[in-house]
Amino acid sequence: MMSHGMLPASFEMETAVLGAILLEPQAAAPVAFAQLAPPHFYNQDNRTIFETALALFRRNIPPGAVAVMAELSALGYLDAVGGRARLEDLVAAVPSASAVEAHCEVLHGYMLRRQYIADMTEQVQAAYDPKVEIAAVIDKSEAALTRVALAQDKAEVATGADSIRDFLRTGFEQWQDEEGGWHWSRKWGMVCGVKPIDAILRGFRKQSLSFIAADANVGKTMLMLNMANYFAQKGHPVLFYSLEQPRGEIGQRLLAIRSGVKDEDLWADLNKEKRIAPKVMEAVEKSADEIKSLPLYVDDCTNGINIRRFKSETRKLVRKLGIHVVMLDYLQLMDTDGRADRHDLEIAAISKAMKMLSRELDIHVMVASQVNRSGANTRGEPTLKSLKESGALAADPDYVLGLWNPEVGKKDEANAVKQDEAARTINIRILKTRYGPGKGQRADVRMLPGRCKIIPLTKGDFEEVTLEDMPDGEINVDGF
């Protein structure tokens, strides 16, 4: 297979896969092209033959031996790869294409080894350089390890530049139904369970970053916990970093969300100050069992966490638990390294790191953020300028949701306090989205603080946006 000192590769496996494609293109080509890319072939001649066959396949031409030979000849590559005799040898070496999937898995393993060796060699060399900070070496090493670990299951590899044909096909598939018709109402990502938000955004995409921006005590945490509960319920594993509340309080709020029992009653029963009725307790116990089965994980970093630890822990847990959504409550409590001259530059670095991490790990990262009241408009509604510390907080995220309580700031403060204790209206404005025409739209809800519940307002309460209301043909692909 390979000799000591050479990079891991198998000429025999490469020959077997290419021979299967040329021998039985209708059966073998879809399997091979779904799992492999040109970098999987270490031998340059084999890689050229694979690339030629792949190009034919993408033009809906079966990449059999005759077709590939003609294409290589037209491109002037036939003699370079060994001529007609080389292609005949490939076909003769494979009696059937039945084992092509197993052979592809072997090639994928060799490619991962080569990629890992290259990445680690680069970091070992960097570790020798005193000008390179060791923290940067560790971070890049962890990123390389995670990239290889995730690629084990996904059969993915960085292939450099791709044809626009390929990723446009992926985008268009999101708008088509099974019959090939166009549907603007199709989901684009993971829906969060808050219907007005889902109706506008059609779900939060992976490889993206969102900010939930609001003043203190408006309901950022409650909104995110309701979303976390729904994501996990729908099979999307969630990792929730709580920098403010210990995990016991987070668990209690989740229990209130699922059971409908007031948060204060749960605490009173726990402290033996007040007993919950037996029937109600049955509902609480049932909800507790449901929560235990959810793929929802909480890390209460109440002693602080910096961006290096955040990235390191997240990478480990994504590899171990298959996390789809990472939530952080909240940004301003994250420790900074103090390396930058200004605090706003440190916050900008954290924001950028979170955005890059979402892409690296193929996850969605959702972050709660405080706002400056001075940046709000005359109605107290937050704007992108309200985001504290740094303009990067407005530039980096793919989604920004601004929350505010319309009662706060009114002259009747007693009414505001009374409303805060019972149901209160929370206005939500989509301040930014890179996907679709949702920017500027409202997704208002009522919050029940005691029960940690969120209820969409009725159509009479605000101009409700539904999937059916969205106009066909007005697709904004800015940032797509």
Side-chain angles (χ1 to χ4, degrees), residues 88-104:
E88 291 176 346
D89 289 344
L90 287 173
V91 174
V94 181
S96 75
S98 58
V100 65
E101 186 170 5
H103 294 159
C104 288

Side-chain angles (χ1 to χ4, degrees), residues 193-246:
V194 182
K195 291 183 179 180
I197 296 175
D198 289 333
I200 297 172
L201 298 181
R202 288 160 180 79
F204 292 90
R205 294 190 178 199
K206 290 185 179 181
Q207 299 190 24
S208 63
L209 172 67
S210 62
F211 282 163
I212 308 298
D215 203 350
N217 300 318
V218 171
K220 299 185 295 295
T221 304
M222 190 189 305
L223 177 63
M224 290 175 67
L225 283 176
N226 273 268
M227 290 180 173
N229 172 66
Y230 192 84
F231 284 142
Q233 185 177 312
K234 292 302 180 180
H236 298 293
V238 177
L239 173 58
F240 193 99
Y241 287 99
S242 175
L243 275 62
E244 185 175 30
Q245 300 178 19

Side-chain angles (χ1 to χ4, degrees), residues 4 22 29 39 46 92 114 132 140 157 172 174 201 217 260 263 270 274 279 281 306 311 317 344 346-347 399 413 432:
H4 182 70
L22 299 178
N46 289 343
R114 295 195 299 271
V132 179
K140 291 183 178 179
V157 60
F172 282 126
Q174 297 181 66
L201 298 181
N217 300 318
D263 191 26
L270 184 66
K274 175 183 177 182
K279 288 187 178 181
M281 183 53 68
N306 59 30
K311 291 196 293 184
L317 293 173
D344 61 325
E346 292 180 328
I347 294 295
Y399 310 88
E413 294 293 340
K432 179 181 179 181

Side-chain angles (χ1 to χ4, degrees), residues 328-433:
L328 176 76
D329 183 28
Y330 56 91
L331 178 66
Q332 282 71 25
L333 291 179
M334 179 167 275
D335 292 339
T336 57
D337 296 330
R339 296 177 184 274
D341 295 334
R342 303 197 324 249
H343 184 65
D344 61 325
L345 297 180
E346 292 180 328
I347 294 295
I350 291 173
S351 175
K352 182 178 180 180
M354 289 183 173
K355 176 65 173 288
M356 298 306 294
L357 192 68
S358 72
R359 294 183 175 181
E360 173 193 323
L361 301 179
D362 190 30
I363 59 175
H364 181 81
V365 177
M366 182 177 289
V367 182
S369 177
Q370 295 275 23
V371 297
N372 284 315
R373 293 183 180 179
S374 59
N377 61 24
T378 55
R379 299 184 301 277
E381 177 181 346
T383 66
L384 288 178
K385 294 180 180 179
S386 306
L387 291 169
K388 278 190 174 182
E389 278 94 18
S390 173
L393 301 190
D396 290 334
D398 302 280
Y399 310 88
V400 178
L401 278 62
L403 282 61
W404 74 102
N405 184 342
E407 296 298 321
V408 173
K410 289 186 176 180
K411 293 182 179 181
D412 187 1
E413 294 293 340
N415 179 59
V417 172
K418 181 179 179 181
Q419 187 209 36
D420 189 64
E421 293 173 348
R424 67 171 183 258
T425 298
I426 296 297
N427 294 341
I428 303 176
R429 176 83 68 184
I430 309 300
L431 299 179
K432 179 181 179 181
T433 173

Side-chain angles (χ1 to χ4, degrees), residues 229-300:
N229 172 66
Y230 192 84
F231 284 142
Q233 185 177 312
K234 292 302 180 180
H236 298 293
V238 177
L239 173 58
F240 193 99
Y241 287 99
S242 175
L243 275 62
E244 185 175 30
Q245 300 178 19
R247 65 186 66 191
E249 292 185 17
I250 296 296
Q252 205 75 10
R253 286 194 168 199
L254 286 169
L255 196 56
I257 288 171
R258 294 193 68 90
S259 68
V261 178
K262 288 185 178 180
D263 191 26
E264 61 186 39
D265 290 344
L266 292 172
W267 279 112
D269 184 84
L270 184 66
N271 296 325
K272 299 182 180 180
E273 298 173 357
K274 175 183 177 182
R275 286 300 180 187
I276 296 176
K279 288 187 178 181
V280 178
M281 183 53 68
E282 288 180 10
V284 172
E285 292 174 350
K286 179 182 178 182
S287 298
D289 290 337
E290 292 172 349
I291 291 173
K292 291 176 184 177
S293 66
L294 291 177
L296 178 53
Y297 309 92
V298 178
D299 188 346
D300 54 348

